Amino acid sequence: LGNGGSTLHVLRCLEEQYGDQWTSFTVLLIHSGGYSQRLPSASALGKIFTALPLGDPIFQMLELKLAMYIDFPRHMKPGVLVTCSDDIELYSTGATETITFDKPGFTALAHPSDLAVGTTHGVFVLDPSSFSGKGGLEYASCYRFLHKPDVETMQQSGAVCVRGDHPQLSSSGDSGMASQCVYTDSVFYIDHSTAKQLLMFYKQMGTLSCEIDAYGDFLQALGPGATPDYTKNTSNVSKEDSGLVEVRQQLYSLLQGTPLNVIVLNNSQFYHIGTTQEYLFHFTAESQLRFELDLQPVAFSLFPDTAKPLDQVSIMQSILEPGCVVGPGSVIEYSRLGPEVSVGKGSIVSGSCINFSVDIPSGCFLSSVSVKVKDRVEYVTMVFSVGDDLKKSVKLLSDIHSLQLLGASLPECLQLWGIKASEQLFSSEDSRLGLWTARIFPVCSTLTESVRMSLNMLNSVRHMSAFKLSSFQLLSVKEMLTYKDVEDMLKFRKQIYDEICLQRQKKEV
């Protein structure tokens, strides 16, 4: 469905559940996180349930979202506020300024960003006569909306603003460039009558046959400067479905002329934590976000007194036994690490139990998932390098050598593991071959065993030595999500939670 299709689907559910009552509702709609291919530790449970190194017991992204938007409903007419689950908007406004969502059409928050950020986000082309760029908060009108534009497009369309020495923008380090900025998107509000129009459209459509993007496909149709050109541009689409151009054109006709109001938050910062790199940076480095939210190196965890809590780590709801070592820049969440475990620099370990002697190398991504295959709970652990591209796919088997896994090419890995490269190796109905759909991860009867097997796979690639996987049932990451057993994963988290509470009580006594 994409996040646009799922927005429409939610509107229908609201109407089915509440009938005409929903005309008076103010709704917060958070997209829980899709496949999360760039941060696969969040794939099984959804990005909205990402743990944050904050609070005792720890908060998840959901709590932070509710805290950030706590003031909005009081100043909001009936309608829907749409937001993602992997971004954080921090802003400050004057004592008398309020963020109000009460205008017809769409109303979006806008944040000053440097041009590089604009290329991966939505960018507002503001009507220059409608705002001054001064003060903490301004209401402006938007001429048109650009979705992930290149720098040239931003400049030609008048999206680039020249600013004085703005404190939020000097992060680029080059003060000459800091004066140029664009206003990028985050959260947006749809007033009730516009939401109703979208719902009518969805009912007429019947079944959606393609992914719709709530940002690109809704917002690009808005504002007096909108043109239908974008409907044919499918370069940003993750998978190009039949009928997408047609659906976009229908949405454009429906929404054309609908106002796009923008609330410019000059004193604000938008943070995205949707990729392994961003996640590691914001949680472990000296990031602005870490400072602003006071993120902790060790949050709600049992951490040995003997180990000096490094400032550059992030350990969340985990149990680390004395003797265990975690390198700088690494994140450990919902895991149990034994005394002979050492984790290198810049690695991610999620949902794992490791009670044997092992050196996990730097830049390693390890995440365990409970799966239910034939009514039995079993375990699979995915292992990648943090930089491996799980979104990349090729169409031909002869091209899979361009897929990089654990510092080698996919065919090299397969050869070491005794797996034959064939079409059957990939669990994909649309014949896309990639790391996401490669059946390479062994299903094991215990969590520890599954981590051990995946680390053996990693070691075999690092030392170019054979490690045969022929006797195992193998799953792709995509299949892990099909067979995932959320209850069992939560049970493991609860065991860790209970043990932390128990150990703390004993200490207090």
Side-chain angles (χ1 to χ4, degrees):
L1 284 173
N3 57 23
S6 54
T7 300
L8 299 175
H9 180 71
V10 165
L11 297 180
R12 192 167 71 185
C13 292
L14 282 170
E15 192 189 54
E16 283 171 2
Q17 181 97 25
Y18 298 104
D20 288 342
Q21 257 185 301
W22 87 283
T23 53
S24 62
F25 287 0
T26 48
V27 178
L28 171 61
L29 195 162
I30 310 176
H31 293 291
S32 68
Y35 293 127
S36 190
Q37 288 172 296
R38 295 177 302 167
L39 186 62
S41 48
S43 296
L45 292 159
K47 284 182 190 171
I48 192 61
F49 303 113
T50 300
L52 297 170
L54 188 67
D56 190 283
I58 51 175
F59 295 140
Q60 293 176 322
M61 199 66 179
L62 180 59
E63 278 98 357
L64 183 61
K65 286 266 160 187
L66 296 174
M68 285 190 302
Y69 306 149
I70 197 163
D71 292 332
F72 290 175
R74 276 194 311 215
H75 308 285
M76 189 186 282
K77 282 192 170 168
V80 183
L81 187 75
V82 179
T83 180
C84 289
S85 51
D86 58 6
D87 58 42
I88 295 170
E89 299 85 25
L90 301 181
Y91 56 90
S92 68
T93 54
T96 55
E97 297 174 319
T98 53
I99 292 177
T100 306
F101 300 99
D102 60 354
K103 294 187 172 64
F106 286 71
T107 303
L109 299 186
H111 312 271
S113 304
D114 55 31
L115 273 54
V117 172
T119 59
T120 57
H121 287 269
V123 171
F124 301 105
V125 181
L126 299 175
D127 176 352
S129 64
S130 71
F131 88 115
S132 66
K134 296 183 175 66
L137 179 149
E138 280 190 283
Y139 288 84
S141 60
C142 183
Y143 177 68
R144 65 183 282 219
F145 176 85
L146 310 169
H147 189 55
K148 300 184 179 177
D150 55 36
V151 172
E152 197 182 348
T153 307
M154 290 188 252
Q155 283 165 334
Q156 285 170 353
S157 60
V160 179
C161 302
V162 178
R163 305 280 305 276
D165 254 345
H166 195 281
Q168 297 304 76
L169 297 170
S170 46
S171 57
S172 60
D174 178 354
S175 55
M177 282 303 290
S179 61
Q180 283 201 325
C181 80
V182 288
Y183 285 98
T184 53
D185 64 340
S186 63
V187 179
F188 67 87
Y189 161 85
I190 313 172
D191 83 311
H192 184 75
S193 64
T194 310
K196 204 163 180 175
Q197 272 182 294
L198 284 166
L199 175 59
M200 297 290 287
F201 166 81
Y202 184 53
K203 286 176 173 170
Q204 285 160 3
M205 285 284 301
T207 313
L208 275 182
S209 60
C210 56
E211 281 191 22
I212 303 178
D213 181 46
Y215 293 81
D217 296 341
F218 293 171
L219 302 184
Q220 278 184 109
L222 310 176
T227 66
D229 302 349
Y230 73 90
T231 57
K232 296 189 179 68
N233 173 11
T234 52
S235 60
N236 280 320
V237 180
S238 55
K239 74 176 201 284
E240 207 174 311
D241 302 287
S242 60
L244 177 63
V245 173
E246 197 187 332
V247 172
R248 278 182 173 175
Q249 284 167 344
Q250 290 172 320
L251 270 168
Y252 176 76
S253 310
L254 174 81
L255 293 170
Q256 197 192 358
T258 305
L260 175 54
N261 310 292
V262 175
I263 302 175
V264 177
L265 295 170
N266 284 313
N267 197 9
S268 70
Q269 194 69 305
F270 172 94
Y271 299 96
H272 187 254
I273 50 170
T275 70
T276 51
Q277 267 80 7
E278 290 168 335
Y279 177 79
L280 287 168
F281 171 70
H282 288 307
F283 282 12
T284 69
E286 289 299 311
S287 76
Q288 185 72 17
L289 176 69
R290 194 176 185 193
F291 168 73
E292 290 196 45
L293 288 180
D294 194 24
L295 301 180
Q296 298 298 310
V298 179
F300 193 67
S301 293
L302 294 180
F303 192 83
D305 299 335
T306 48
K308 285 193 282 293
L310 293 164
D311 193 37
Q312 298 164 308
V313 296
S314 180
I315 294 164
M316 299 174 275
Q317 196 164 323
S318 293
I319 297 171
L320 278 65
E321 292 186 34
C324 165
V325 181
V326 178
S330 288
V331 175
I332 313 290
E333 60 157 15
Y334 301 119
S335 293
R336 234 174 229 282
L337 305 186
E340 296 174 64
V341 177
S342 85
V343 180
K345 294 179 190 171
S347 289
I348 296 172
V349 178
S350 172
S352 299
C353 178
I354 315 177
N355 58 9
F356 48 90
S357 171
V358 66
D359 289 339
I360 296 170
S362 295
C364 175
F365 176 90
L366 197 71
S367 177
S368 303
V369 178
S370 307
V371 292
K372 212 170 204 166
V373 188
K374 299 185 184 133
D375 285 336
R376 246 190 37 221
V377 179
E378 298 191 277
Y379 301 90
V380 194
T381 298
M382 58 181 102
V383 62
F384 294 103
S385 297
V386 285
D388 287 346
D389 185 355
L390 274 67
K391 273 194 159 179
K392 184 178 177 175
S393 65
V394 295
K395 290 208 165 83
L396 301 171
L397 201 58
S398 54
D399 291 336
I400 63 167
H401 59 82
S402 69
L403 301 170
Q404 287 289 307
L405 171 62
L406 302 170
S409 73
L410 182 58
E412 286 178 291
C413 296
L414 296 176
Q415 200 175 351
L416 291 167
W417 300 331
I419 300 174
K420 186 173 167 288
S422 68
E423 300 278 345
Q424 285 70 49
L425 176 66
F426 297 91
S427 62
S428 180
E429 55 285 341
D430 57 7
S431 74
R432 286 184 174 252
L433 319 174
L435 299 184
W436 187 253
T437 54
R439 294 185 169 113
I440 51 177
F441 299 111
V443 178
C444 300
S445 54
T446 68
L447 184 52
T448 305
E449 197 53 25
S450 108
V451 178
R452 189 195 295 270
M453 287 305 128
S454 294
L455 289 171
N456 284 343
M457 291 166 68
L458 170 66
N459 276 329
S460 102
V461 178
R462 286 183 72 210
H463 302 119
M464 285 294 158
S465 57
F467 174 67
K468 294 287 177 265
L469 286 172
S470 43
S471 58
F472 288 94
Q473 178 189 357
L474 302 173
L475 295 182
S476 65
V477 181
K478 189 177 180 179
E479 286 174 322
M480 288 183 205
L481 302 185
T482 309
Y483 298 123
K484 68 181 179 184
D485 185 336
V486 171
E487 271 180 52
D488 191 72
M489 293 177 76
L490 294 177
K491 195 169 96 183
F492 177 65
R493 291 184 177 191
K494 179 80 167 71
Q495 285 169 353
I496 292 176
Y497 177 93
D498 290 343
E499 192 170 327
I500 291 169
C501 293
L502 189 69
Q503 292 296 338
R504 284 180 166 192
Q505 280 170 346
K506 280 184 186 166
K507 268 190 179 165
E508 284 165 16
V509 176

